[in-house]
Amino acid sequence: MDFWYTYIVLAEIYVLLGLSTNLLVGIVGIFSVSQAAVFGVGAYIVAAATMNDTLSFVPALLIASACGLALNVLVTLPSLRVSGDYFVVTSFGIQLLATAIFTNWTEGTGGANGLPGIPPPDIFGLAVTETRQFLVLSSVLLSLGCLAFWLAMRAPYGRLLRAIREDELAVAAAGKNILFAKVSAAALAGAFAGSAGGLYGSFLSFVDPSSFDLDASILLLTMVVVGGARTLTGSIIGPFVLLALPQLLALVDIPTTIAAASRQLIYGVLLIAFMLFRPQGLAGEKL
Amino acid sequence: MSAYLAVSGVNKSFGGLQALHDTNFEITKGKITCLVGPNGAGKTTIFNVITGFLPPDTGGVTFQGRSLDGLTRQQIVHQGIARTFQNLRLFIDLTALDNVLAAIPGQAGETPWGAIFRPFHTAAVQTRMREQAREILDHVGLADRANDYVRNLSYGEQKLLCVARVLATGAELLLLDEPASGMSAGALDNIMALMRRLQTEGKTLLVVEHNTRVVQRIADEVLFLHQGHLMAQGTADEITSDPELAKIYFGGAI
Ligand SMILES: Nc1ncnc2c1ncn2[C@@H]1O[C@H](COP(=O)(O)OP(=O)(O)O)[C@@H](O)[C@H]1O
Ligand SMILES: [Mg+2]
């Protein structure tokens, strides 16, 4: 049973992260490949703060979310100056930079060895120690995240973002503030990614740079592509499908050395196949 | 009395090409002014300069006595000037209604926190805005197309939607870039009637138009632009009967 709970909790955390990526990449059209870096910062903040008892889980998560917000605004700023293709390269650089810091800043992040022994969340005195309990916590947070996403997208704000993705000049001609709309979308996406990170670390009780590297960013993009861009349903389906893959691979008895490689292979094939044959994903719109 | 809109001494070059060459003109409030001239004369460039899409190299624009120098595109729309694009630039993946709604200023729920933390207020205001957008669509004759996606509209309908979108901004000076080009005869009558109607409702129009019959029917005043310079200004009859201008216009000479 715990096996299933673990799968659902992880998938839920990735849905939160998927909402963030979908907002930025799918809806606004800022093609970021550094969302895992923001995710990682959230995870390390909560890990560091709760491990040495500086803060309890709730304020630590709020701070992780606020830092994710600020950081994502900062890393998406170049997209306001350089367009499309150039930004992908910039964003790629940001992701590499983050991985380098996660790996080499040993005092802060534990370096390549990571940070073990992150305490379980403590919600106003109530310790969330069992996977079952964590499922409640992650489900509540995810519901709030989905509600926020849904409300934002059905409001004029969502329409403004879609319009910007389609034709920025036409939106400018309508007298709308494009800069503000984009920056606030980046902020919202960052808050989602930061809090997803905080949850992730506390759930696994261990973080290391490999969860927040370029592969992780690509995995996130794959989730958006497979689930479907710009819809809530797509953002939910993508992570559940893609995280089921390693579980399925675990069922067929292959050596662990090949397992990682074959996972990458399958993700790669899925990405290409969906882009070519089903660009709208399982339940979304064309990216 | 100062002019409603005054373009003075505007120069604009793209590399070696001088698109606007000491351009000067004024337009009068409440009139329909047509901007004519051969292709490449600089008509669209003038629109870009007035609306803040391109900074002039020298010279400037004043609107109702106030200089527009240094204002952003957004601020210029808020001053009351809005433009359409020669190549439409509609949001083709949105419905006609959403295209109009996207241009209505100052809506509740246009920020993430407004949308997330005040959902009921946002929804209530949206209901009103939808009503307003429907009225605008009705006004241009697209009421029955409100929920259709732009890509399913005919070219003529798309051009009307462009007008609906500038109307939604609430601006009183409308710059329309070739609103009638490529339209069938019936659609032409529609758009001409619409422009007249907008005029009677107090809008001022600056319209780029190639079709001399349209110009003769709607223009109170005609500006003739050639190689980025204002060559002549007058009534439609004066401009269209000038053989010199006709030669430039149709012969493309010089
Ligand atoms: N952004 C631009 N960059 C370079 N050249 C431009 C640009 N915009 C317009 N031009 C050139 O300026 C001249 C005037 O163009 P335009 O204002 O579009 O003419 P029209 O009167 O047909 O609308 C043309 O020669 C055009 O090629
Ligand atoms: Mg033009």
Side-chain angles (χ1 to χ4, degrees), chain B residues 14 17 19 38-46 54 86 177-178:
Chain B
F14 300 106
L17 182 114
N39 264 324
K43 305 179 294 293
T44 298
T45 304
I46 273 286
L54 286 174
Q86 192 174 344
D177 203 345
E178 306 199 12

Side-chain angles (χ1 to χ4, degrees), chain A residues 156-157 159 166-167 170 175-176, chain B residues 74 89 92-93 104 109-110:
Chain A
Y157 183 62
R159 184 173 50 228
E166 277 204 50
D167 195 331
K176 303 290 177 185
Chain B
Q74 192 194 3
R89 307 199 84 116
I92 56 165
D93 287 337
I104 295 181
E110 233 175 19

Side-chain angles (χ1 to χ4, degrees), chain A residues 8-286:
Chain A
I8 298 174
V9 170
L10 280 178
E12 286 187 338
I13 292 172
Y14 273 94
V15 171
L16 211 48
L17 206 47
L19 288 176
S20 158
T21 312
N22 215 336
L23 182 62
L24 213 54
V25 179
I27 293 166
V28 195
I30 298 176
F31 207 93
S32 161
V33 291
S34 54
Q35 284 310 93
V38 183
F39 179 51
V41 167
Y44 281 114
I45 286 175
V46 170
T50 56
M51 274 169 79
N52 55 25
D53 278 328
T54 318
L55 289 171
S56 70
F57 179 75
V58 175
L61 191 67
L62 287 175
I63 289 180
S65 165
C67 289
L69 182 155
L71 181 69
N72 209 36
V73 168
L74 215 61
V75 301
T76 30
L77 279 183
S79 77
L80 307 170
R81 290 187 56 92
V82 300
S83 59
D85 308 344
Y86 291 100
F87 179 69
V88 178
V89 179
T90 314
S91 163
F92 184 77
I94 290 165
Q95 175 63 57
L96 294 185
L97 190 69
T99 302
I101 294 171
F102 294 157
T103 316
N104 295 303
W105 185 37
T106 329
E107 304 98 273
T109 64
N113 295 329
L115 291 176
I118 303 165
D122 169 347
I123 312 283
F124 305 117
L126 198 79
V128 182
T129 44
E130 283 176 50
T131 314
R132 207 156 31 90
Q133 295 169 319
F134 206 102
L135 181 60
V136 176
L137 174 65
S138 59
S139 300
V140 168
L141 286 178
L142 178 62
S143 307
L144 288 177
C146 287
L147 180 67
F149 184 87
W150 181 74
L151 286 174
M153 289 311 114
R154 70 194 286 275
Y157 183 62
R159 184 173 50 228
L160 178 64
L161 294 182
R162 282 161 175 267
I164 287 175
R165 186 183 52 83
E166 277 204 50
D167 195 331
E168 218 172 289
L169 283 186
V171 178
K176 303 290 177 185
N177 190 338
I178 292 171
L179 184 73
F180 172 81
K182 283 185 167 181
V183 168
S184 58
L188 192 61
F192 276 45
S195 32
L199 273 181
Y200 183 80
S202 310
F203 177 61
L204 296 182
S205 78
F206 170 73
V207 287
D208 77 349
S210 72
S211 309
F212 316 117
D213 60 6
L214 187 63
D215 281 353
S217 276
I218 307 275
L219 173 63
L220 276 172
L221 287 173
T222 314
M223 286 172 173
V224 171
V225 169
V226 171
R230 294 196 281 288
T231 62
L232 187 55
T233 329
S235 310
I236 296 172
I237 292 179
F240 274 93
V241 170
L242 283 184
L243 289 186
L245 276 180
Q247 316 293 347
L248 291 178
L249 284 179
L251 293 182
V252 283
D253 202 18
I254 45 171
T256 43
T257 42
I258 314 179
S262 47
R263 198 162 64 221
Q264 290 300 331
L265 187 77
I266 294 177
Y267 289 159
V269 169
L270 274 179
L271 197 54
I272 296 170
F274 269 88
M275 282 318 261
L276 287 179
F277 304 113
R278 203 174 157 82
Q280 73 276 38
L282 294 171
E285 297 166 19
K286 208 163 158 256

